[in-house]
């Protein structure tokens, strides 16, 4: 089955991901908050984004930065109240934004009351809410579990960290007596509850969800056929109940997730997409050394596009809270070219807060809230030269994560004041994307060259075609392409008869 369309607003959506902890603190407790996000909405709009994704902001003991929910229906007090969050939705909508929350359907915190009830030896409503085996000595092959923690004669499967027990969506292939089929009452109750959670926040004004570990719900499901069917059911319900709501999956396999009914799926640092080849490997394609390759990435991308059908979108993130920042492997000049690519590809772009100013990955930090090596990509946003880079009025030692200590760290204020900055490069690219339907989310895509350098593709909509020549290597190239030079990022390009002469470290756009 294929879902044919997505809500129309996704045709032009450009997302900005906010890690709320680190964005802007308005009450000097060292932690970002909803009011801080509201304060910065104009900044995000001026950059050219029109949609937000907030990392989890629900009640949680924060042992995994909020991906360990203890109450799905209540905002984490450290960010504000449900009312404050509703106010954020309202202020965002007033400025033309759509807002995604982060839904964590696969697991809860061990502190969740459902889990506490599920641990009890006497049967109750939540006995089958989680995936339990029937002996403390037995686990599930390929998964980790918690043993000896309850009155029950069983161990419980965990999804990620050991404090994140797996909610029970059933087993695709049932092989043991304790494994429940997907249509057993326990799994069905879990699905019903997750729909209630979604309806609750959609009712309060959010516009959809980024879905955490979306491909992991059903167990013993190697081809993910069970999980795909489960999401198809949720999508059918959503189309009926909230037709304007949208979902993006953390799955990293658009050939499966889009079939499952997600409107979009991310290309990620894990999974088969080869996204890392471009920005995050030994020899990234976007390095000026010019030793990388975009060929495998493009081969996968073409396959995903074919499977996506008319409705499915592929989401290109500049980074996220789980991966190292672009600036860890790429120079400021290279990052500009990476953005010129990310913002001229079809699908839905996602900009991770701070990437628009080239924020760095902060090395050698102690792990904060389960961040481990991810912590360096979650440091406070650098707004200005004020104390704590304008992030917070708290004493520096109280900040959620220490700031990038580099005296030359980039700031939003300095870059907004400098017309040659990365910030302005991103803004100009987003304006161009908006002004040219060929470059927008649903414009056509034709790959012209992916072997070696440059990478060349054509975007098309109606009468308009724009050819994009991506040449991050530090050596010039010549490409046979007719039309007028529309825009360049980097050193420059010039027409030489039928040929476009493109400098090294340059992305050139030609309009036909
Ligand atoms: C996803 C999140 C990550 C979290 C994990 C467990 O990968 O992006 O931050 O730790 O799921 O929920
Ligand atoms: Ca705060």
């Amino acid at each position: 089955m294929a879902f044919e369309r997505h809500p129309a607003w996704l045709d032009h959506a450009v997302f900005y991901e906010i890690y709320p902890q680190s964005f802007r603190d308005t009450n000097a407790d060292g932690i970002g908050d909803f009011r801080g996000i509201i304060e910065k909405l104009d900044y995000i709009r001026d950059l050219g984004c029109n949609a937000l994704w907030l990392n989890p902001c629900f009640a949680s003991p924060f042992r995994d930065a909020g991906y360990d929910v203890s109450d799905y229906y209540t905002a984490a007090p450290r960010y504000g109240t449900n009312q404050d969050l509703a106010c954020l939705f309202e202020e965002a909508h007033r400025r033309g934004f759509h807002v995604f929350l982060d839904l964590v359907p696969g697991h809860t915190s061990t502190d969740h009351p459902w889990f506490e009830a599920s641990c009890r030896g006497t049967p109750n409503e939540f006995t089958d809410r989680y995936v339990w085996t029937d002996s403390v000595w037995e686990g599930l092959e390929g998964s980790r579990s918690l043993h000896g923690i309850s009155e029950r004669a069983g161990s419980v499967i965990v999804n990620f960290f050991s404090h994140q027990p797996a909610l029970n969506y059933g087993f695709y292939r049932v092989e043991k007596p304790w494994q429940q089929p997907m249509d057993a009452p326990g799994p069905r109750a879990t699905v019903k509850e997750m729909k209630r959670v979604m309806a609750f926040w959609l009712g309060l004004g959010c516009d959809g969800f980024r879905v955490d570990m979306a491909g992991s719900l059903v167990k013993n499901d190697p081809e993910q056929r069970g999980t795909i069917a489960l999401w198809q059911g949720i999508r059918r319900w959503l189309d009926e109940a909230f037709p304007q709501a949208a979902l993006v999956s953390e799955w990293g396999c658009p050939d499966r997730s889009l079939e499952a009914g997600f409107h979009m799926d991310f290309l990620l640092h894990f999974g088969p997409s080869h996204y890392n080849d471009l920005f995050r490997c030994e020899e990234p394609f976007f390095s000026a050394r010019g030793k990388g390759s975009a060929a495998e990435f493009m081969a996968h991308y073409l396959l995903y596009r074919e499977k996506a059908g008319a409705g499915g979108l592929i989401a290109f993130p500049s980074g996220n809270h789980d991966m190292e920042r672009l600036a860890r492997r790429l120079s400021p000049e290279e990052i500009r070219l990476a953005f010129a690519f990310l913002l001229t590809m079809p699908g839905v772009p996602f900009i991770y807060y701070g990437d628009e100013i080239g924020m760095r990955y902060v090395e050698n930090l102690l792990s904060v809230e389960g961040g481990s090596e991810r912590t360096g990509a979650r440091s406070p946003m650098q707004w200005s030269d004020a104390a704590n880079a304008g992030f917070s009025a708290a004493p520096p030692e109280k900040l959620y994560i220490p700031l990038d200590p580099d005296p030359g760290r980039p700031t939003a204020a300095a870059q907004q004041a400098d017309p040659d900055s990365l910030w302005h490069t991103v803004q100009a690219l987003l304006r161009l994307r908006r002004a040219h339907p060929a470059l927008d989310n649903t414009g056509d895509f034709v790959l012209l060259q992916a072997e070696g350098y440059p990478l060349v593709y054509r975007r098309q909509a109606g009468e308009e075609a724009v050819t994009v020549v991506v040449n991050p290597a530090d050596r010039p190239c010549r490409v046979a392409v007719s039309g007028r030079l529309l825009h360049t990022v980097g050193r420059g390009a010039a027409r030489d008869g039928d040929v476009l002469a493109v400098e090294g470290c340059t992305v050139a756009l030609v309009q036909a």
Side-chain angles (χ1 to χ4, degrees):
M1 98 183 262
F3 294 91
E4 281 310 314
R5 265 308 277 179
H6 46 257
W9 65 270
L10 287 182
D11 288 350
H12 311 292
V14 178
F15 277 81
Y16 190 87
E17 178 191 347
I18 297 180
Y19 186 75
Q21 288 90 321
S22 295
F23 198 55
R24 165 80 182 131
D25 169 26
T26 58
N27 63 347
D29 63 356
I31 267 201
D33 41 53
F34 295 141
R35 279 184 48 202
I37 296 173
I38 294 173
E39 199 181 281
K40 297 299 185 183
L41 287 174
D42 290 338
Y43 165 85
I44 303 168
R45 188 188 50 193
D46 291 348
L47 180 65
C49 295
N50 56 18
L52 305 175
W53 154 30
L54 313 185
N55 288 111
C57 48
F58 315 107
S60 165
F62 288 100
R63 291 185 206 110
D64 184 18
Y67 286 96
D68 48 334
V69 177
S70 60
D71 177 355
Y72 285 99
Y73 298 96
T74 306
R78 70 189 200 180
Y79 302 134
T81 62
N82 284 13
Q83 220 27 60
D84 296 329
L85 186 50
C87 174
L88 191 163
F89 297 148
E90 208 181 297
E91 290 288 330
H93 291 155
R94 227 161 45 73
R95 292 166 174 84
F97 284 100
H98 287 82
V99 186
F100 275 11
L101 295 179
D102 205 321
L103 182 73
V104 191
H107 45 265
T108 67
S109 161
T110 43
D111 292 10
H112 198 295
W114 301 343
F115 188 65
E116 285 162 8
S118 197
C119 282
R120 283 190 213 121
T122 39
N124 61 67
E125 188 190 343
F126 300 103
T127 299
D128 293 330
R129 180 55 53 92
Y130 296 83
V131 184
W132 289 90
T133 70
D134 57 5
S135 150
V136 281
W137 310 117
E138 177 154 359
L140 175 65
E141 212 189 303
S143 300
R144 279 165 302 197
S145 47
L146 291 175
H147 307 256
I149 53 149
S150 78
E151 307 172 337
R152 283 179 75 155
S155 58
V156 67
I157 309 306
V158 300
N159 269 354
F160 196 72
F161 288 138
S162 31
H163 50 73
Q164 288 162 319
L167 286 164
N168 181 19
Y169 292 93
F171 283 69
Y172 186 63
R173 278 198 324 247
V174 175
E175 288 164 344
K176 302 268 174 81
W178 52 267
Q179 300 179 349
Q180 304 180 349
M182 291 172 63
D183 60 0
R188 285 174 52 183
T190 312
V191 174
K192 196 168 164 208
E193 188 65 36
M194 270 315 137
K195 287 185 188 163
R196 248 189 82 200
V197 170
M198 293 167 82
F200 177 81
W201 292 108
L202 290 167
L204 210 76
C206 94
D207 300 288
F209 302 91
R210 176 267 190 187
V211 179
D212 186 67
M213 291 180 61
S216 74
L217 302 190
V218 178
K219 305 302 181 200
N220 264 359
D221 187 19
E223 309 284 314
Q224 295 171 305
R225 299 315 306 174
T227 300
I228 289 170
L230 186 152
W231 283 112
Q232 287 175 339
I234 294 182
R235 169 68 187 270
R236 280 192 292 270
W237 162 77
L238 203 68
D239 281 352
E240 283 278 308
F242 299 95
Q244 286 306 307
L247 299 177
V248 60
S249 46
E250 185 202 31
W251 196 315
C253 269
D255 47 339
R256 292 182 177 182
S257 50
L258 301 179
E259 183 193 350
F262 284 93
H263 301 93
M264 348 173 225
D265 188 21
F266 287 113
L267 301 178
L268 290 165
H269 53 300
F270 61 82
S273 75
H274 283 262
Y275 166 85
N276 279 352
D277 295 5
L278 304 180
F279 322 105
R280 293 173 178 83
C281 64
E282 194 99 325
E283 289 293 350
F285 175 71
F286 279 96
S287 158
R289 288 187 296 274
K291 293 182 181 161
S293 168
E296 292 223 58
F297 171 85
M298 275 300 167
H300 283 81
Y301 177 67
L302 289 181
L303 187 130
Y304 296 150
R305 279 184 66 79
E306 207 183 290
K307 297 258 179 149
L313 293 162
I314 294 170
F316 279 88
S318 68
N320 72 22
H321 61 291
D322 292 330
M323 28 175 147
E324 59 184 45
R325 289 210 183 251
L326 283 175
R328 195 169 195 200
R329 313 246 187 177
L330 302 182
S331 70
E333 189 181 26
E334 291 162 351
I335 292 178
R336 282 180 205 251
L337 305 180
F339 267 110
F341 163 79
L342 289 166
L343 302 180
T344 57
M345 285 294 284
V348 181
F350 277 70
I351 299 177
Y352 183 50
Y353 83 95
D355 278 353
E356 75 278 17
I357 57 169
M359 260 174 68
R360 282 176 278 237
Y361 176 88
V362 184
E363 305 285 343
N364 303 319
L365 292 177
L366 294 177
S367 179
V368 175
E369 293 188 342
S372 57
E373 75 288 347
R374 305 174 294 184
T375 306
R378 300 173 174 186
S379 63
M381 176 69 182
Q382 296 149 201
W383 293 108
S384 69
D385 284 341
N388 294 327
F391 162 65
S392 165
E397 65 279 6
K398 271 191 76 184
L399 299 189
Y400 173 73
I401 289 173
L403 275 156
D404 179 355
D406 191 313
R409 67 189 175 210
T411 68
Q415 293 213 6
Q416 284 184 291
D418 171 7
D420 294 328
S421 66
L422 174 61
W423 194 92
H424 280 281
T425 301
V426 172
Q427 188 197 45
L429 284 163
L430 287 175
R431 283 192 179 149
L432 212 64
R433 189 178 178 94
R434 201 56 218 270
H436 295 272
L439 291 172
D440 214 343
N441 299 4
T442 57
D444 258 354
F445 174 87
V446 182
L447 181 63
L448 300 176
Q449 182 180 316
E451 291 297 328
Y453 292 80
L455 164 70
V456 188
Y457 47 89
R458 191 170 61 231
R459 302 293 316 280
Q460 219 163 305
E463 297 291 284
E464 188 192 29
V466 177
T467 303
V468 185
V469 181
V470 182
N471 186 33
D474 189 5
R475 46 182 187 260
C477 66
R478 294 168 66 81
V479 181
V481 50
S482 51
R484 124 188 133 85
L485 193 59
L486 178 67
H487 190 79
T488 57
V489 175
R491 298 189 192 152
R495 176 145 292 296
D496 180 3
D498 280 347
V499 168
L500 188 73
V502 181
E503 296 291 336
C505 304
T506 296
V507 173
L509 278 69
V510 175
Q511 184 186 34

